[in-house]
Amino acid sequence: MTEVIAAPSPLGAPPPDNILLDVRNLKTYFKVLDGVVPAVDGVSFSLERGKSIGIVGESGSGKSVSALTMMRLLDIPPAEIRDGEIWFDGREILHMPMEEMRKIRGNDMAMIFQEPLTSLNPVFTVGDQIAEQVERHKKVKRKAAWDRAIESLQLVGIPSPERRVKQYPHELSGGMRQRVMIAMALSCEPKLLIADEPTTALDVTIQAQILELLKTIQDRTDSALMLITHDLGVVAEMVDNVIVMYAGQVVEQGTVDEVLVNPRAPYTMGLLESIPTVEKRGGRLSAIKGTVPNPFNMPPACRFEPRCPYAWNLCAETAPDLYPAGPHGQHARCHLHTPAGAPRLPEALADHERKLNVGHGIS
Amino acid sequence: MTKYVIRRIVQAIPVLFGVSIVVYGILLSAPGGPTARFANNPRITNEQREEFKKAWGLDQPIPVQYCRWLGVCNPDGQGLGVFIGPKGLPNFLPGVLSGGTNGVLHGDFGYSIDSGESVMGRITRAALPTFILASFALVIWITIAVLMGVVAAVKRNSWFDQVATIFAYVGFAMPTFWLGIMLIFIFSGPGLNILPAGGMTETRLSPPFGSNEYWAYFGKQPLAALADIGRHLILPVITLVVVNIAGDSRFVRASMLEALGQDYVRTAKAKGLSNRSVTFKHALRNAMLPVVTNIGLEIPFLFTGALVTESIFSWPGIGKLTIDATRGFDYPVLMGVLLITATLVVLANLFADIAYAFVDPRIKY
């Protein structure tokens, strides 16, 4: 495992103080036997202190890899950081020595994982696992760390925390375990909380509780939240800004209202069209045709072009950038938002509107 | 927990019973027999041979012999009376009630056909040498195997891992007898000649190990005696260690690699813990769970010894006793060794299961 990634020279300038997290042109590739997978390919975004951001995308779109790169949790190799900078709390963390990074991980930046059962160590008590983190970062005695663990469990709404703290993970239910994970993440009062599909492995009723909990905590503490999910509904309720990822790239970004109400990238449009609603009952459910591109053989220009209903010859020739597409800083990676595509835009939007309302091809 | 242990011990009784039946049947069905040694001796007549068989009860059908060995049958009884002990009660009952004294149920393992000694006497005499050899070998090989496996897993694909892998494959593929003979050839052969080729003590300097004379000598010159045993231990211990490290270190490596790939290890890293804490607290503790079971199952080896290694190095232990008894069709000795071995395996399994409950909080009995 390589501990330090060679720093690009020179590093860019630090972002303004109100920006907690600034990811710039991040490229995380995986070298595997069959070739190189560009899992994250030039991702940039930033997050203000105390704000929340949602990263949406299907499996393999690079959203989890982005988060793991930020936490420096990927094994290098097979992962490889090709390019980019990550500024967190005024410091560049992607190229800092691992020893420094360990002081940030779990302390200023904490992460909640998808599988609460396997993410907790089965042979240590819940309290042990939380207290150990507090001891490490806050340099307090065992007793104080243990008290902090109880407090954290209380904060996430676990009843009788004095008893729970002495239990092992297998003695808790799935929802309780995820609460423990959240308590652990919160135990050192992080500035950024990364939640990687925190509800995917849980029952629907528990999902709602956990999301509610995350929202309350985000309101009550001043920690920023980065929520990774494939569920657009969750994003709508939980975050301020949203990033849509496809095949390792950001295809659309903006505020939740902009992106979910007026999507401007054909991929986002397709995602929203494919949500089943009562109004669309009886019609055929709209689906994005085709499948996610083979990572070893990405389309040469726009990665969504083979599946895009609005693509024309330019889309197969030139890769689109993120272009401004809305009044409040919304951006979309689509040629429709360039002068060349502007004449086609109204028709595309109308088509999207139609599919959204009546579904696709009612028979 | 107590309930569980009692239940497991009770369950062991039918297992041991079944083992003894099967082993007895196989042993006595083998061609040859204790009289085979007289086959080429024309001075021993057929009558004498039959006499010998009768004296040892070998003329009886196998079920009867087994029944007597077990202690259910009274060898002096007639007809159905064989099941009745001298005091008129069933023979298998404890001696105070039935008056029966024969058979393993009464603690009587019989006498060696070969030497005439009591089976228990021969086994206890061989047990100490085996324990000395096996405990040295076991402690060394488990220590090295665990260290090697853990380091190989943590430094996966490093040069250390590569060397350990090659060592494991070579050690695994190498027959024990070949390795033993090669070691004797190198270290005891005419070239170097720095270590003894076999035995447990230097016979020219001390009385045979285990005899009263030996202990008298040991009392007088303890350091010299220990050094002598130590010199004799080196080659057989090396043989056992090399051969057994191979498999065990692979096992530890696989277990550690699996643990290192688990989600909770990623969580531990995400908490900002040091490398040492992630590897040696979070991963190792979990990786050791299956290893503990494995070690528990290797404990009977302390008693049963190593058949091949002890034979090659003429180590006067249980392994050599077993081989010698097999060659000489010494049924009582073989049955004694095998029954004790089976008991120890059953107990070791139980011990491993109990140990598991202590190291893994998910297991409760």
Side-chain angles (χ1 to χ4, degrees):
Chain A
M1 217 193 302
T2 314
E3 294 268 296
V4 184
I5 304 157
S9 52
L11 276 174
D17 197 46
N18 65 325
I19 302 293
L20 176 69
L21 177 71
D22 195 18
V23 177
R24 299 175 186 170
N25 194 32
L26 183 64
K27 289 189 181 174
T28 308
Y29 289 13
F30 285 95
K31 242 189 193 150
V32 290
L33 231 49
D34 300 332
V36 176
V37 178
V40 175
D41 205 7
V43 166
S44 302
F45 64 90
S46 58
L47 176 59
E48 279 177 50
R49 290 179 192 277
K51 288 288 170 68
S52 56
I53 194 166
I55 301 190
V56 191
E58 54 203 300
S59 314
S61 61
K63 51 194 196 310
S64 289
V65 175
S66 303
L68 292 172
T69 309
M70 272 175 233
M71 291 286 286
R72 302 267 304 268
L73 282 175
L74 291 172
D75 283 344
I76 298 173
E80 190 184 313
I81 312 292
R82 282 279 172 94
D83 200 0
E85 292 170 22
I86 298 175
W87 289 83
F88 174 75
D89 202 16
R91 298 168 75 192
E92 208 288 327
I93 58 169
L94 190 55
H95 304 93
M96 68 169 37
M98 200 51 127
E99 208 38 62
E100 287 295 300
M101 186 61 204
R102 285 200 190 96
K103 291 177 191 157
I104 292 176
R105 282 205 295 227
N107 190 16
D108 294 327
M109 192 195 252
M111 188 159 174
I112 302 163
F113 298 98
Q114 195 179 105
E115 287 285 346
L117 174 59
T118 53
S119 295
L120 289 167
N121 197 324
V123 300
F124 298 111
T125 60
V126 163
D128 247 336
Q129 296 186 53
I130 301 178
E132 131 184 271
Q133 184 178 353
V134 179
E135 259 177 286
R136 162 128 182 122
H137 292 299
K138 301 300 178 203
K139 314 277 180 250
V140 294
K141 288 268 165 359
R142 184 85 189 149
K143 176 78 179 66
W146 195 262
D147 289 343
R148 178 72 200 143
I150 295 174
E151 255 171 63
S152 304
L153 290 181
Q154 196 145 28
L155 181 71
V156 298
I158 291 183
S160 50
E162 301 80 12
R163 191 167 57 83
R164 294 289 183 183
V165 80
K166 290 184 206 122
Q167 286 186 320
Y168 289 95
H170 72 273
E171 298 173 279
L172 306 174
S173 68
M176 279 297 166
R177 283 186 208 129
Q178 194 59 297
R179 281 172 196 267
V180 168
M181 284 300 291
I182 296 173
M184 191 184 284
L186 293 175
S187 62
C188 294
E189 296 171 325
K191 296 180 174 123
L192 173 64
L193 184 61
I194 304 174
D196 186 2
E197 309 225 15
T199 57
T200 306
L202 303 176
D203 286 347
V204 183
T205 46
I206 310 293
Q207 284 185 8
Q209 291 176 13
I210 294 292
L211 290 174
E212 188 61 42
L213 172 68
L214 280 175
K215 207 171 156 62
T216 332
I217 281 165
Q218 217 239 320
D219 291 345
R220 234 191 286 166
T221 64
D222 17 291
S223 110
L225 175 69
M226 182 168 138
L227 181 69
I228 298 169
T229 179
H230 56 248
D231 189 335
L232 289 167
V234 168
V235 164
E237 286 175 37
M238 298 283 299
V239 297
D240 308 320
N241 290 305
V242 62
I243 287 175
V244 182
M245 286 190 71
Y246 182 77
Q249 294 178 326
V250 174
V251 292
E252 178 155 12
Q253 63 183 52
T255 64
V256 167
D257 292 339
E258 285 173 326
V259 175
L260 295 191
V261 180
N262 297 311
R264 288 295 178 261
Y267 176 65
T268 323
M269 295 182 193
L271 280 185
L272 289 164
E273 287 157 16
S274 60
I275 297 175
T277 61
V278 180
E279 291 80 48
K280 287 191 230 169
R281 219 167 129 144
R284 274 173 64 98
L285 199 57
S286 171
I288 303 174
K289 66 175 186 191
T291 53
V292 187
N294 178 350
F296 299 116
N297 189 16
M298 287 285 190
C302 174
R303 291 185 179 172
F304 190 59
E305 181 267 332
R307 307 175 70 185
C308 183
Y310 315 120
W312 71 100
N313 50 9
L314 176 66
C315 304
E317 288 158 9
T318 318
D321 277 332
L322 275 170
Y323 304 111
H328 305 290
Q330 184 177 12
H331 280 69
R333 189 179 293 277
C334 181
H335 287 305
L336 285 174
H337 305 288
T338 61
R344 296 166 183 266
L345 183 60
E347 196 196 321
L349 293 179
D351 182 60
H352 165 62
E353 210 59 38
R354 192 168 47 79
K355 284 181 189 163
L356 202 57
N357 292 330
V358 296
H360 179 69
I362 284 183
S363 48
Chain B
M1 179 68 113
T2 323
K3 235 175 155 183
Y4 174 80
V5 173
I6 292 171
R7 197 173 73 230
R8 285 285 300 265
I9 289 174
V10 171
Q11 278 170 353
I13 293 170
V15 170
L16 293 177
F17 190 67
V19 167
S20 71
I21 290 182
V22 170
V23 172
Y24 207 96
I26 292 174
L27 284 185
L28 271 82
S29 308
T35 53
R37 71 185 83 172
F38 310 127
N40 298 321
N41 189 341
R43 294 194 184 130
I44 291 184
T45 63
N46 259 337
E47 289 74 36
Q48 283 172 312
R49 225 168 280 165
E50 289 310 311
E51 221 23 66
F52 180 89
K53 283 188 175 176
K54 209 176 164 195
W56 286 95
L58 298 167
D59 56 333
Q60 301 288 322
I62 292 177
V64 174
Q65 290 188 44
Y66 176 74
C67 184
R68 286 180 177 177
W69 173 83
L70 190 63
V72 172
C73 291
N74 176 358
D76 304 322
Q78 297 296 320
L80 278 178
V82 292
F83 296 110
I84 306 301
K87 287 188 184 168
L89 284 167
N91 193 57
F92 69 84
L93 292 173
V96 258
L97 296 173
S98 63
T101 54
N102 66 307
V104 290
L105 288 177
H106 301 108
D108 174 17
F109 282 78
Y111 292 85
S112 163
I113 297 178
D114 217 28
S115 69
E117 273 176 280
S118 81
V119 169
M120 266 305 154
R122 284 198 78 169
I123 291 178
T124 40
R125 202 148 51 79
L128 183 60
T130 281
F131 184 79
I132 292 172
L133 173 60
S135 53
F136 269 96
L138 193 74
V139 169
I140 293 174
W141 104 53
I142 286 177
T143 312
I144 297 179
V146 168
L147 288 175
M148 221 166 104
V150 169
V151 175
V154 172
K155 306 233 176 260
R156 191 182 186 179
N157 296 334
S158 64
W159 66 266
F160 180 89
D161 188 23
Q162 313 276 359
V163 171
T165 304
I166 293 169
F167 180 82
Y169 283 135
V170 172
F172 218 74
M174 197 160 40
T176 314
F177 63 84
W178 185 83
L179 175 62
I181 290 169
M182 282 301 124
L183 287 174
I184 293 175
F185 180 73
I186 294 168
F187 293 101
S188 318
L192 280 175
N193 197 15
I194 47 173
L195 289 169
M200 193 175 172
T201 51
E202 195 62 60
T203 41
R204 278 167 302 173
L205 301 178
S206 70
F209 182 83
S211 60
N212 291 334
E213 294 81 9
Y214 179 83
W215 292 117
Y217 156 79
F218 190 94
K220 264 180 266 165
Q221 293 177 301
L223 288 181
L226 283 178
D228 187 31
I229 292 180
R231 266 165 51 79
H232 285 79
L233 264 173
I234 295 173
L235 292 185
V237 165
I238 290 178
T239 308
L240 286 172
V241 166
V242 168
V243 170
N244 287 295
I245 274 182
D248 280 10
S249 69
R250 292 274 98 185
F251 186 81
V252 174
R253 178 181 180 271
S255 185
M256 188 67 186
L257 271 184
E258 202 197 316
L260 283 170
Q262 294 293 318
D263 285 351
Y264 51 74
V265 168
R266 189 185 56 187
T267 308
K269 285 184 195 162
K271 293 200 299 196
L273 302 181
S274 64
N275 260 346
R276 202 184 44 204
S277 175
V278 171
T279 308
F280 294 104
K281 185 177 171 191
H282 287 268
L284 187 62
R285 176 74 203 276
N286 281 280
M288 282 300 117
L289 300 181
V291 175
V292 165
T293 313
N294 203 37
I295 292 174
L297 296 180
E298 278 167 351
I299 285 178
F301 171 76
L302 289 175
F303 172 80
T304 61
L307 299 182
V308 177
T309 308
E310 287 187 8
S311 296
I312 288 174
F313 291 97
S314 316
W315 193 264
I318 303 281
K320 187 165 180 297
L321 176 66
T322 312
I323 295 278
D324 292 347
T326 312
R327 283 209 190 111
F329 293 94
D330 200 341
Y331 303 133
V333 171
L334 270 180
M335 281 308 293
V337 169
L338 293 172
L339 190 68
I340 293 175
T341 304
T343 312
L344 286 172
V345 169
V346 169
L347 287 179
N349 267 297
L350 176 59
F351 172 79
D353 285 350
I354 294 171
Y356 211 100
F358 278 100
V359 291
D360 189 342
R362 284 166 295 183
I363 310 284
K364 287 262 168 357
Y365 298 118

